[in-house]
Amino acid sequence: EKNITLDRATGIELSCRLDNKYSHLKSLQVTWKKGNETIRYINKTESSWSIQLRILDNSMLGSYSCTLKGKEEIGAMFHLQVPKIEGREKPIVSYEGDTAVMMCKSFGYTPIAWTWYKTNGSEQIAINDSLLADKYVINRISANVTHLKILKLTKEDDGVYWCEAAFELGKSKGKLKLKVLSLMVPLKPFLAIVAEVVILVTIVFLYEMYSKKKEKCAEDEKEFDQIEQL
Amino acid sequence: SPAMSRAPGPPDGGWGWVVVFGAFISIGFAYAFPKGIAIFFKEIQDFFGTSYSEIAWVSSIMLATTYGAGPISSILVNRYGSRPVVIFGGLLCGIGMVSAAFCTSILQLYICAGFITGFGLALNLQPSVIIIGKYFLKRRPIANGLAMAGSPVMLCTLAPLNQFLFDNFGWRGSFLILGAILLNCCVAGALFRPIGASTASVKTQVTEEGKGALKEEVTKDAVEMSSPMDVPIETKMQEEGGKDCCEKINQYLDFSLFKHRGFLIYLIGNVLMFLGFFAPIVFLAPYAKHIGIDEYSAAFLLSILAIVDMIARPTTGIIANSKWVRPRIQYFFSFSIAFNGACHLLCPLASGYMGLVIYSIFFGLAFGMVCAMLFETLMDLVGAARFTSAVGLVTIAECCTILLGPPIGGTLIDTFGDYKYMFIKCGAVMVLAGTFLFIMNYYNYRVLAKEEKERKAKEEDPKSVRTANEGRNNWNKETIQDGPELEPLREEQEGLKKEVNGT
């Protein structure tokens, strides 16, 4: 199986070559298929069969397979796809009233345009940053990178976001998750640790005072003994 | 009445081990924290929209301040003792990180997370090292080795902890919680019970800690034998005699150390060594990725390094404490530096993952050996009393080369496109430093032995100061030296000490 990434209209040649160890197989019938549809024009050479395609739009992308039927059936699969966009698996954590910056990157291929979507229930709503300019800012940092900045976060901004890159041959999406927390959330462990520190310091100082008192008692006793001896 | 007229030697145990634990925590935070927060950099970089090097400055500023504020730390410890300084340092670290959590610009981050936290860590690092010198003498190398082991342990703890905090709280929440965690340095500081076990030098420098120690609360190790009235009378007269300006400055920071031969040797050798010390660690993972190793295995190399480091430090402490090594500890130190350099020189020969694993193991071993003895050798050369000032002066000098090391290595890599020149440079610098220290210490030991012979030939003067010049035969009589006629007094006092402990 092979994955081939294409971002723009291009001509491409896919070929299946028979490995030497199978050259004993006679009477081979080779079929090239896209999905269930058979492709007619196959170029054949001594041990390889290839097809030439001109990929012009999205419908021509997909899975192409070559099957060699003889006594055994062997085949190979090609997946023609648009470039994948990477979002983030782990959620981005931010706080109410703060700003969140979400980033999407395309590797190697430059998209024509970027669009951001917010998932509201089951549908995806495009984010219009000119309409809500004091809430959303979309920046194209470089050719392959886009930023979505969300200002003045509230709990409603929590959820799943999609960044969509438009290529000549189609669109590709990346998923990002945003978590909006209130300030109370980190404050609880913070106060717990501060309390622990205060308690430990107090214990240390109390123990020190206690052991000093014990020393002093012991010393007084000793002096008393020595005075008695004198 | 059985009043004693001088403080006994360092306890070498008892509460000292608790102090070692406190120093473990304190030193661990000081060294591991700047490296640990690197996990947050990617996110902060995206948030503020800056380049990676601008964010990396936060770590550099933190490290620079931790080393650069050394003299200030020394002055404060000379004046107030270790405990208040460490507690204040812990508070400062906490305030720094908490305010960093609310920063709205990269510059504010430099100040809060970089400068303030770095300064707090400086007030943690130096006093922790200093107080070990006050509590230990015979077992000091072990104590130093154990305390310095705090650094790799904290690093191994902080790395996954920071990742966890980041996944759950984002960078702001993490900074807030890290601020609270840094407050634990105050707990470490609370454990640093003051102890009056240092020299009261009589000549020109009345070390502040000597005076301060007598005024401080008595500890449980029977130091209270010397009551304030028993301050050597010569000291009192010295104070009343008035001091000129130089002596006043020397009270706070002992600049006369620059005339001390051992100190100068140590300073030059170490400043040279630090040029090649940290760069290999910084570039180990990128080098591994460069030769085709995947990211997780590359990170694992650093874990191997940290684990070997963790074990090497206390072990080195134990070895350095043995009676064969301790009198020649400077040689052992020079050897470990040269060994470290040799590892780097051989690294380009390592091929493939197994080669790098072996390199990491030896590097971890050498790194741990050097770090364990870093402060021990300085204490050995200048003695516990002057160590306070010495450590401050040394850290500010090292500050420059520490900061220069990795960027120079980075420039070499970028210029030649090959990591081997960086390794060769680091290895060469360290072998050179090790050799220099070895030769100079050989010379120093011989001069000290000669001086010792001359001194023994003269009549013993009970008022003479002997700050620790380590001759081959003298290592066990380091700090408070009153001469042989007070020996019986010392024994009597030991006897009483045993009695008190027995009741």
Side-chain angles (χ1 to χ4, degrees), chain A residues 65-100:
Chain A
S65 60
C66 71
T67 341
L68 282 74
K69 283 203 198 93
K71 268 198 235 160
E72 308 158 20
E73 197 171 295
I74 13 175
M77 195 85 135
F78 294 90
H79 301 284
L80 270 60
Q81 319 164 314
V82 282
K84 282 219 165 51
I85 302 293
E86 201 177 274
R88 256 184 72 138
E89 287 160 36
K90 292 195 197 153
I92 298 174
V93 178
S94 198
Y95 293 91
E96 290 171 358
D98 195 12
T99 309

Side-chain angles (χ1 to χ4, degrees), chain B residues 175-196:
Chain B
F175 278 8
L176 188 70
I177 296 177
L178 281 172
I181 292 176
L182 279 175
L183 282 178
N184 279 298
C185 291
C186 293
V187 179
L191 295 169
F192 290 166
R193 268 194 215 166
I195 185 169

